[in-house]
Amino acid sequence: MCVLMLIGGMLRFSVGAAYLASLDSVVIVTVYVMAGPWAAVVAAGVGYLPQIRRQLPLVKRFFNGAQRVLAVGAGGVAYSLADGPTGEQVLNHAPEAILAATLATVAQHVVNAGLVCLVMWLDRKARPIEFLKQVVVPTFLPMVGYGFLGLLLAVVWLGGLGPLAGLLVLVPLLVARWALSQYEAEKTAQAATMRAFIQVIETKDLYTRGHSERVSEGVGMLGRYLRLSENRQAALEHAGLLHDVGKVGVPTSIIRKPGRLDDSEMDAIRLHPARGVELIGNIPFLEEVKSAVLHHHEKYDGSGYPAGLSGTNIPYFARIIGIVDAFDCLTSTRSYRPARSVEETLAILEQDRYSHFDPDLVDAFIKVIRTQGWKSVAADQPAPDASVEASIDHDDLSLGTGGGATGSAAGPQ
């Protein structure tokens, strides 16, 4: 069992953006069942030995080892309190073993998560609530499933196969983990593809650098508040990232022009949603993003473009992106004006409910920003160009009387 723990501990995989898990949780349950809870604590300590040599400060290495032992010990207590059978008794008391193994796995998961949250709270560098939402909750059921695999491994071992049971149970699990890692690699490649698109656009204007990333982050915040499904959330964030990709086809001279745009120049800018759809149209993983990219400049009263859609006829994602797009634009510096404050911009969004934006989504976005905050980028941007005297916001959305330009001087960002 200690050897299996060593192997399982070395087979680590990513969970979320910055956390690692390993397959030794399967083996721990097997040890509970075959040799008893306290043997599992010993195996947990042995399984941690290869990580002692990792390049970490001593206090972190000590914490990681203690965390593992304490979590496994908590699982052992749960297994004992549930009167879980050990050894060959398991073959005649399967229901009791299943219940005890489940409780032990849950206890491990809870104590492990609690210790990590404690360190995050003490360190003040990350929010425990985000760790719970992004890592603990999504991995809870898979960890319980690993517990059942550990019980299966014990039963097959005790049933007569002995150590060969490890190959029978763990090898398919390793193959599954490998397949999932390939999927993660594909997702990473997709993200790199999208960011390459965006880098091409944002080299055109220093003032808009980072805009697409911020819109993606903002729509992600709103999507999580709206409790979108995981797939819909990912599609929304992709749409936020790519909403302005069509600007790659707009001449740089127009994007950087400090004065009023003439009609032909405005027509060139108004084509960028359609150009964006053309660019991403043949990429299968972006199918759900197309309507959001095409219609993110529609307005709730029907005065937007390219189709003049109104109300709920505007695609849901496009309504979300329109709000966050305007918010980031107005809270960013431009060559012709300084950034507006967050509160001033929220007031503008609230004023333009019904006319420009979906009122329910505006209300939700205001709650998100006032609850979670928003880091202004104005300090990282070039100062406004003092030579530009005209008050024109051709890079801003037209936001009625409160938001800036109207008519031919108003244009998208």
Side-chain angles (χ1 to χ4, degrees):
M1 291 296 101
C2 287
V3 171
L4 283 180
M5 280 293 297
L6 288 170
I7 295 172
M10 290 185 289
L11 298 172
R12 301 168 70 80
F13 54 92
S14 296
V15 176
Y19 303 96
L20 292 174
S22 64
L23 298 183
D24 55 7
S25 56
V26 176
V27 183
I28 282 294
V29 176
T30 304
V31 183
Y32 287 146
V33 175
M34 290 186 60
W38 308 117
V41 174
V42 174
V46 172
Y48 179 69
L49 293 178
Q51 297 184 49
I52 291 179
R53 300 180 62 184
R54 293 177 64 199
Q55 299 299 315
L56 291 173
L58 180 61
V59 66
K60 290 188 176 182
R61 282 182 282 176
F62 176 79
F63 170 80
N64 289 343
Q67 174 190 9
R68 176 183 295 238
V69 170
L70 288 172
V72 172
V77 170
Y79 195 86
S80 297
L81 292 176
D83 293 325
T86 57
E88 295 186 357
Q89 297 176 11
V90 175
L91 302 177
N92 299 319
H93 298 85
E96 293 88 344
I98 292 173
L99 175 61
T102 302
L103 293 176
T105 302
V106 171
Q108 275 193 77
H109 202 46
V110 169
V111 171
N112 187 69
L115 290 170
V116 173
C117 288
L118 175 62
V119 168
M120 288 181 169
W121 178 74
L122 293 172
D123 199 37
R124 308 288 185 183
K125 292 182 179 179
R127 298 177 62 194
I129 189 67
E130 292 300 318
F131 169 74
L132 292 173
K133 288 181 180 179
Q134 297 177 19
V135 179
V136 175
V137 172
T139 60
F140 183 79
L141 288 180
M143 293 300 291
V144 173
Y146 283 166
F148 290 137
L149 282 175
L151 178 59
L152 175 64
L153 175 55
V155 170
V156 174
W157 188 307
L158 294 169
L161 276 185
L164 289 176
L167 295 177
L168 184 65
V169 175
L170 294 181
V171 169
L173 183 59
L174 292 176
V175 173
R177 285 305 321 166
W178 175 83
L180 286 174
S181 70
Q182 298 304 301
Y183 172 69
E184 291 295 329
E186 182 180 353
K187 286 175 62 178
T188 302
Q190 291 173 359
T193 300
M194 290 187 288
R195 279 168 174 76
F197 271 131
I198 301 311
Q199 287 175 0
V200 171
I201 302 164
E202 294 184 346
T203 56
K204 291 191 172 190
D205 188 354
L206 289 175
Y207 291 97
T208 60
R209 184 164 295 173
H211 168 71
S212 297
E213 293 274 3
R214 293 191 299 275
V215 170
S216 181
E217 180 183 351
V219 298
M221 293 165 61
L222 183 51
R224 285 187 289 274
Y225 175 83
L226 297 170
R227 298 184 178 180
L228 298 181
S229 67
E230 183 177 350
N231 289 339
R232 298 294 289 165
Q233 178 74 23
L236 175 60
E237 292 180 16
H238 288 163
L241 188 64
L242 292 172
H243 73 284
D244 271 346
V245 70
K247 284 191 175 179
V248 72
V250 179
T252 304
S253 59
I254 294 178
I255 291 178
R256 292 183 179 178
K257 184 176 179 180
R260 182 182 295 272
L261 299 180
D262 60 33
D263 289 342
S264 64
E265 291 168 334
M266 279 304 304
D267 288 342
I269 283 189
R270 289 179 188 275
L271 282 175
H272 84 271
R275 293 181 186 275
V277 173
E278 290 175 3
L279 283 170
I280 67 175
N282 294 321
I283 306 177
F285 72 86
L286 296 176
E287 285 295 325
E288 293 184 275
V289 177
K290 291 180 185 177
S291 64
V293 172
L294 181 61
H295 296 292
H296 72 277
H297 282 300
E298 306 285 0
K299 293 190 170 65
Y300 206 70
D301 61 3
S303 63
Y305 65 90
L309 301 180
S310 63
T312 55
N313 290 324
I314 304 171
Y316 190 58
F317 283 4
R319 282 179 271 153
I320 292 175
I321 291 171
I323 293 168
V324 183
D325 189 22
F327 175 80
D328 182 71
C329 178
L330 295 175
T331 55
S332 302
T333 300
R334 291 293 181 264
S335 61
Y336 42 81
R337 60 150 176 86
R340 292 170 171 84
S341 70
V342 168
E343 283 301 321
E344 180 186 0
T345 303
L346 292 180
I348 291 171
L349 295 180
E350 193 167 19
Q351 173 185 310
D352 287 337
R353 296 163 75 251
Y354 293 105
S355 60
H356 287 68
F357 307 114
D358 183 315
D360 294 332
L361 291 176
V362 166
D363 291 343
F365 184 68
I366 289 174
K367 288 180 182 177
V368 168
I369 295 301
R370 287 183 173 157
T371 302
Q372 302 182 28
W374 183 265
K375 182 181 178 182
S376 175
V377 297
D380 301 324
Q381 294 178 306
D385 186 347
S387 66
V388 180
E389 298 179 357
S391 178
I392 35 181
D393 283 357
H394 75 257
D395 277 338
D396 292 340
L397 283 166
S398 173
L399 293 174
T401 56
T406 58
S408 62
Q413 172 46 40

